[in-house]
Amino acid sequence: METTTLTGETVNTAYERGLARLIHHEIDHLDGLLYTARMRTGVDPISVEEYRQTGRAWVYEGA
């Protein structure tokens, strides 16, 4: 990710796994997108109640 500091310096930072996912999610909000806009065709979202307490960690491809 490329950002600019308050002094005008450009900084590049690489994020991985959960933090990368969180940052991407928040940038989507800044762009007016909801996560459903990125879901694969034919996949339906599950409710928060259904997701909570599943005990499953996020799955990362290639991990």
Side-chain angles (χ1 to χ4, degrees):
M1 167 188 253
E2 184 176 285
T3 58
T4 304
T5 67
L6 294 175
T7 59
E9 178 185 2
T10 299
V11 178
N12 289 300
T13 308
Y15 298 96
E16 296 179 1
R17 303 175 79 67
L19 187 54
R21 184 180 212 136
L22 173 67
I23 290 168
H24 191 247
H25 172 84
E26 295 306 326
I27 290 171
D28 276 351
H29 283 309
L30 294 173
D31 290 336
L33 295 172
L34 297 176
Y35 75 94
T36 52
R38 295 197 181 273
M39 291 179 70
R40 290 186 308 259
T41 303
V43 174
D44 294 322
I46 62 173
S47 68
V48 172
E49 291 76 20
E50 185 180 348
Y51 177 77
R52 282 191 181 142
Q53 306 303 318
T54 63
R56 293 181 298 179
W58 291 110
V59 176
Y60 298 94
E61 296 193 21

